[in-house]
Amino acid sequence: MSLADSLSEKGYKVLLIDRKDTGSGASGTPIGLVNPATGQKANLSWQAENCYHAILNNLTKIQRTASTEFFCTSGIIRPALDEKSFTNFRQAFERDNWPEGWCQWLSEDTISKENPYLAATKGGLFVKVGLAVNLPSYLNAYVTYLRKKSVTVLLNEDYKLDRQGKHWIFNCRKHGLKKTGGVIFACGHASINFSYWKNIPIHPVKGQISIYETKDLLSWDIPIAASGYFARSGPNQFVVGGTYEHDFEHEQADSKGFSLLNKKLQRIMPTLLAKSILINQWAGIRASTPNRLPILGAHAIEPNLFIFSGLGSKGILYSKYTADLMADYLLDKKAIPDALDISRLVN
């Protein structure tokens, strides 16, 4: 959707085809975080300022067209729960070149006041610019916006793709033949299911979340990022995510995911777990790459065939900035950054 938007902004006629419904893959997680303090060490993410401003501007743009709010600017707390995370977070706080006003160190007492359910901490990072996004609402609003911008969006549409000279032909089950000058695969981990990209090193990683309901009226508003994430999704409901399963037998939510997430909740918010029951589960597959950065670029042999994939667990954060980079490459011949270019992966 972000790429269709970026191309449309540059005046291109865009056809967006999805074999399933809006947000049916990993992008459709009920709650997602925009968190530039990444990984176990809370390092400042790749091109953090550019990515953050791009997605914040995009969320704001789409929000203006929607009737319900789908994101909040509450920030994100990264509590240090042991000596290792304390050392990592303090080093990241003092070492990384954080933009002014982005990051603050909180004391144990301050964190406890913000979230009384948290286990004892050694203080932690407050990423002031962190965002929480209701992704299904965002994506549904985005579809409506794109259609109003004259992007043709075909959902739940099966198709076959063939090349005809310099053009590509989509034979759509419900909408017939569609002829185009170029095709961009933005299919996440499923890109490698197409013969054109079967040798690209995209690694599927399963992520599951659990949604709980508690007897308490929850007062904490700031999402927690600690060996996963914990975000309030209603007055007495919250989300716990996510797992990182590199070996899995199916794509559905299961008892394994519930057990892993329950253990996280037990460790991070033990008193809340005792008052809560599971009401729903969700699962999706991320597309990971060797350097954990997206893959952008052209097919080595097939003409006018491109890929935009591998956004991994930073899909929201990276989405609009990398879409703009891809649009600049396609239409203005601007070079893709070396860290993202598909050529880094092809011998």
Side-chain angles (χ1 to χ4, degrees):
M1 289 185 191
S2 297
L3 183 54
D5 190 8
S6 297
L7 292 169
S8 178
E9 287 174 349
K10 287 180 171 288
Y12 256 58
K13 187 177 181 181
V14 183
L15 168 66
L16 176 60
I17 303 180
D18 198 321
R19 280 185 166 140
K20 296 184 180 180
D21 204 357
T22 306
S24 59
S27 297
T29 181
I31 298 288
L33 301 186
V34 174
N35 178 19
T38 63
Q40 295 181 356
K41 296 184 177 181
N43 295 323
L44 190 62
S45 61
W46 175 85
Q47 290 289 316
E49 285 190 85
N50 288 329
C51 289
Y52 175 77
H53 290 302
I55 187 57
L56 178 60
N57 289 340
N58 206 59
L59 287 165
T60 303
K61 177 181 74 175
I62 304 305
Q63 182 69 83
R64 293 193 192 104
T65 71
S67 58
T68 57
E69 293 186 4
F70 53 71
F71 81 102
C72 64
T73 56
S74 57
I76 294 170
I77 292 176
R78 298 219 57 185
L81 299 168
D82 52 36
E83 286 294 338
K84 183 177 180 181
S85 60
F86 172 80
T87 300
N88 286 335
F89 293 177
R90 283 297 305 187
Q91 286 178 346
F93 177 66
E94 296 167 359
R95 176 195 65 231
D96 289 356
N97 188 26
W98 293 91
E100 185 176 355
W102 271 36
C103 193
Q104 177 184 353
W105 187 264
L106 300 182
S107 68
E108 178 180 349
D109 287 343
T110 301
I111 291 178
S112 180
K113 290 176 183 176
E114 288 290 345
N115 192 319
Y117 297 105
L118 272 172
T121 74
K122 298 178 179 296
L125 287 174
F126 178 38
V127 184
K128 295 182 179 181
V129 296
L131 309 173
V133 184
N134 181 316
L135 280 164
S137 295
Y138 170 46
L139 297 180
N140 284 321
Y142 214 163
V143 166
T144 300
Y145 173 85
L146 290 174
R147 284 174 167 154
K148 289 180 179 178
K149 296 285 286 185
S150 299
V151 173
T152 301
V153 182
L154 304 182
L155 301 175
N156 298 298
E157 176 61 276
D158 199 11
Y159 61 85
K160 291 183 179 179
L161 178 65
D162 296 298
R163 185 154 60 88
Q164 187 180 86
K166 294 182 178 181
H167 292 87
W168 293 90
I169 304 294
F170 284 95
N171 189 347
C172 300
R173 179 172 54 85
K174 293 187 290 187
H175 292 85
L177 299 179
K178 303 289 183 180
K179 185 177 181 180
T180 178
V183 177
I184 307 159
F185 284 78
C187 310
H189 78 285
S191 299
I192 57 177
N193 294 336
F194 294 88
S195 60
Y196 308 108
W197 310 110
K198 63 181 181 180
N199 295 321
I200 299 299
I202 292 176
H203 177 62
V205 180
K206 184 176 180 179
Q208 301 190 52
I209 70 166
S210 293
I211 303 174
Y212 292 82
E213 187 171 271
T214 178
K215 298 175 183 177
D216 289 0
L217 187 64
L218 298 174
S219 59
W220 51 282
D221 293 319
I222 304 176
I224 302 297
S227 300
Y229 68 93
F230 307 78
R232 192 165 64 86
S233 56
N236 65 335
Q237 292 182 8
F238 61 97
V239 172
V240 178
T243 64
Y244 286 81
E245 302 168 47
H246 294 267
D247 297 302
F248 52 91
E249 297 179 354
H250 56 79
E251 298 188 8
Q252 288 72 46
D254 56 25
S255 58
K256 175 185 176 182
F258 170 65
S259 177
L260 290 169
L261 295 167
N262 224 40
K263 289 177 181 177
K264 288 188 180 188
L265 185 56
Q266 173 66 50
R267 178 176 176 238
I268 310 299
M269 296 186 187
T271 59
L272 184 58
L273 175 60
K275 302 177 181 181
S276 305
I277 59 170
L278 179 74
I279 60 171
N280 204 359
Q281 290 180 266
W282 177 93
I285 312 298
R286 311 177 189 91
S288 183
T289 68
N291 67 347
R292 298 183 181 179
L293 287 175
I295 296 173
L296 282 62
H299 195 277
I301 300 173
E302 295 287 353
N304 302 320
L305 197 65
F306 308 91
I307 191 168
F308 176 49
S309 185
L311 277 68
S313 60
K314 296 292 180 292
I316 323 172
L317 178 62
Y318 290 156
S319 57
K320 194 61 173 75
Y321 180 63
T322 54
D324 290 342
L325 290 177
M326 188 72 180
D328 288 342
Y329 163 73
L330 290 167
L331 306 181
D332 300 328
K333 308 303 180 186
K334 292 185 179 180
I336 294 171
D338 291 342
L340 309 186
D341 197 313
I342 190 175
S343 62
R344 78 187 192 269
L345 306 171
V346 180
N347 295 325

